[in-house]
Amino acid sequence: MKNHAFRILIVLLVLQPLLFAQSKGMVSIKGSRYIPLYGRDATVVEVKDFEMDMYPVTNADYVNFVKRYPKWQKSKGIKLFVDGSYLTNWKNDLELKDSEKPNSPVTYVSWFAAKDYCECQGKRLPTVDEWEYVAMADETTKDARVKPSYNEQILAWYEAPRSNENKIGMNPKNAWGVYDLHGLVWEWTLDFNSVLITGESRKDVDKDSSLFCGSASVNATDLMNYAAFMRYAIRGSLKAKYSMKNLGFRCVKDINKLK
């Protein structure tokens, strides 16, 4: 009996590092409670532990994806799930235009396509809260929102022309070890349209019709975070079938811990 228990203990000790090992190309994010930009009465949101792709999905990644899943090739995209701009920067179903770089973030991809890509990798799109939580970090601080330099740098990146044509990983990684959340492209989130929903955890159905006009700042927890205002405004303008030249995505994965 003692020998049997000892063997079980050894197995658990061997398997535990594997169960908690960081997935290839991903960064482990330690969850916590934080106050997002929008909330009613400073609503605190809890983010659980998860893993996030170190880089956004690239053109080369997506080429491999459509080779394996032909239903998402340019000529085969179902109009219910993609608009007329889907992969408009591709030469054909399997080739990028000569102007496109394999290591640039993939763009002109709809939410439906991005969601399926992640699911086919055993992952999913990040929620707004997960994305914003990791994006609060600068190079040294995991919540840098109070730093004027943090917001100034992000706004400068947002104003830079044709940033979607740059290669991934050219900007420094943030304090979590994640690259390019800012400075290349906007990114799809799983619940991108939840920005128009107010209330605790944004789970009620009251719509705030003035969210993106001047009175929007009434519901903001940080009136100085203009860069985040821009992200919320972009998300609120999207529909799931839209494709844009400066809109890409990355994936995340839940961390399954021993109970």
Side-chain angles (χ1 to χ4, degrees), residues 5-240:
F6 180 75
R7 285 196 295 269
I8 292 176
L9 178 61
I10 294 298
V11 170
L12 288 174
L13 289 174
V14 171
L15 289 179
Q16 187 172 14
L18 298 176
L19 292 171
F20 290 92
Q22 187 169 286
S23 302
K24 182 179 179 181
M26 304 190 81
V27 172
S28 296
I29 308 297
K30 177 66 176 177
S32 185
R33 293 162 63 84
Y34 85 112
I35 300 177
L37 175 66
Y38 283 102
R40 182 176 297 164
D41 299 325
T43 299
V44 175
V45 171
E46 182 177 1
V47 174
K48 296 182 179 180
D49 297 354
F50 66 100
E51 292 181 308
M52 174 175 273
D53 282 352
M54 192 177 298
Y55 302 101
V57 175
T58 65
N59 283 321
D61 294 331
Y62 206 76
V63 168
N64 291 332
F65 172 66
V66 297
K67 286 179 179 178
R68 188 174 179 184
Y69 301 96
K71 69 177 182 178
W72 290 112
Q73 291 175 5
K74 180 177 180 177
S75 67
K76 298 180 177 68
I78 299 173
K79 300 308 177 186
L80 183 64
F81 302 130
V82 299
D83 65 7
S85 296
Y86 179 66
L87 299 183
T88 192
N89 57 338
W90 288 41
K91 187 184 302 183
N92 52 48
D93 282 346
L94 299 176
E95 293 181 289
L96 303 166
K97 288 183 177 178
D98 295 338
S99 59
E100 304 302 309
K101 303 180 184 72
N103 288 332
S104 293
V106 67
T107 57
Y108 292 109
V109 173
S110 71
W111 177 86
F112 291 110
K115 179 175 180 289
D116 199 47
Y117 175 98
C118 291
E119 290 174 355
C120 288
Q121 317 302 316
K123 305 177 185 179
R124 59 175 173 81
L125 287 172
T127 65
V128 169
D129 287 324
E130 288 170 338
W131 197 99
E132 289 291 331
Y133 177 74
V134 182
M136 294 189 307
D138 65 5
E139 294 174 45
T140 59
T141 309
K142 290 181 179 177
D143 187 354
R145 291 178 297 178
V146 297
K147 297 182 181 180
S149 59
Y150 165 82
N151 289 309
E152 290 168 3
Q153 178 64 70
I154 294 174
L155 287 170
W157 276 332
Y158 288 173
E159 293 171 358
R162 301 171 66 176
S163 60
N164 60 294
E165 298 177 8
N166 296 333
K167 295 179 181 179
I168 64 169
M170 301 299 291
N171 295 315
K173 62 184 177 182
N174 71 10
W176 291 106
V178 176
Y179 291 85
D180 302 321
L181 283 172
H182 308 289
L184 284 187
V185 294
W186 309 106
E187 295 187 3
W188 281 113
T189 57
L190 185 64
D191 53 343
F192 70 94
N193 51 3
S194 68
V195 68
L196 290 175
I197 302 177
T198 60
E200 185 175 355
S201 300
R202 295 186 294 279
K203 290 181 180 177
D204 61 27
V205 293
D206 297 328
K207 297 300 177 66
D208 185 352
S209 60
S210 63
L211 189 58
F212 299 116
C213 63
S215 60
S217 60
V218 173
N219 289 328
T221 57
D222 180 0
L223 302 183
M224 298 304 293
N225 198 340
Y226 299 121
F229 273 116
M230 293 175 67
R231 293 194 295 275
Y232 278 84
I234 285 289
R235 292 179 187 130
S237 69
L238 295 172
K239 292 185 178 179

